[in-house]
Amino acid sequence: MPGSLKEETALLLEDYFQHRGGGAALPPSPTAATLRRAAAELERRERPFFRSCAPLARAEPREAAALLARVAAQLEADGGLSWGRLLALVVFAGTLAAALAERGCGDGPRCLAAALAAYLAEERGEWLEAHGGWDGFCRFFGRHGSQPADQSSTISNAIMAAAGFGIAGLAFLLVVR
Amino acid sequence: MPGRTVRKAAPPAAARAAVAQCALELRRIGDKWDLRQKILNLLMKLFCPET
């Protein structure tokens, strides 16, 4: 149902924007928690770029929403949408929302959340549905996904396994020579 | 004047360039993040299949 997808998307985005702006409320759902975590990790890793985007937000929320729509259209013009691109777009929208809020436009975050939710659920609703909706997002980013400690542990395990295979291979070559 | 109408309707060149640059960088970041997460998910599937 496009209506429910749009509502769910708007709620998730509003929650993320409020959290990004310093809101201390607990995430209302596991999906919201996953979005907060994945977006925070992406924003942390690419902070210089997102900081440089903040001045793009004008004082008027409708201008920022129009800018967001133009960026979204160009973003997916080459290669379509992916969960990574969607997350980058959400973090970009969060940057604009935070900049608007800082300039005293309290309605900015809600306006941007509504605009992005309409774009994602209406114009890109088929893609979202085909990829499992926000449950698909959770499956993609949720599993141990963006926790730095988990990632380093996974990568360490992979390196150890590769090293183990390498040593075993070398030993085998030495034995058969 | 037709030329004047076109100039008025089109967004300024600087704004268009900023949007294009922003979209390009977001695409690069998104693609990098997508690939990174796919590799992580694959590693998790290989080394922690029970989760």
Side-chain angles (χ1 to χ4, degrees):
Chain A
M1 271 191 297
S4 63
L5 179 64
K6 189 176 169 184
E7 279 171 27
E8 183 187 10
T9 306
L11 287 173
L12 285 169
L13 293 174
E14 274 187 48
D15 172 71
Y16 166 60
F17 292 169
Q18 279 173 8
H19 177 69
R20 175 89 185 263
L26 288 172
S29 66
T31 309
T34 303
L35 177 61
R36 282 186 186 189
R37 182 164 46 76
E41 176 70 6
L42 176 62
E43 195 271 335
R44 192 175 62 78
R45 296 275 179 110
E46 305 287 347
R47 187 159 288 161
F49 168 70
F50 288 109
R51 274 199 181 149
S52 74
C53 290
L56 290 173
R58 306 273 184 258
E60 172 66 39
R62 279 195 309 179
E63 268 186 58
L67 171 78
L68 181 61
R70 289 201 300 275
V71 169
Q74 287 203 21
L75 167 70
E76 60 161 311
D78 181 13
L81 205 55
S82 69
W83 285 127
R85 289 182 179 189
L86 185 144
L87 184 64
L89 187 62
V90 168
V91 176
F92 175 68
T95 304
L96 297 181
L100 284 173
E102 275 175 21
R103 288 170 195 179
C105 181
D107 205 31
R110 200 181 52 78
C111 181
L112 280 180
L116 187 54
Y119 171 76
L120 290 175
E122 289 168 1
E123 294 189 37
R124 307 304 298 161
E126 275 184 28
W127 184 92
L128 265 179
E129 297 281 9
H131 289 78
W134 287 101
D135 288 342
F137 177 88
C138 277
R139 279 195 296 277
F140 190 73
F141 283 111
R143 310 179 352 161
H144 335 283
S146 302
Q147 293 285 13
D150 289 339
Q151 281 172 10
S152 56
S153 161
T154 305
I155 291 165
S156 302
N157 286 343
I159 291 169
M160 292 300 286
F165 280 122
I167 290 168
L170 278 176
F172 176 75
L173 283 176
L174 284 172
V175 168
V176 297
R177 267 185 82 182
Chain B
M1 282 165 56
R4 192 175 176 187
T5 309
V6 169
R7 271 204 306 276
K8 202 174 178 182
R16 278 203 310 271
V19 166
Q21 184 65 34
C22 212
L24 189 69
E25 190 64 16
L26 284 175
R27 193 184 300 151
R28 188 192 64 76
I29 290 170
D31 290 347
K32 188 173 79 174
W33 213 250
D34 205 66
L35 179 65
R36 173 184 177 274
Q37 194 64 40
K38 278 177 181 164
I39 292 171
L40 276 173
N41 289 345
L42 181 66
L43 290 176
M44 291 310 298
K45 203 178 273 187
L46 286 174
F47 295 107
C48 308
E50 75 281 2
T51 56

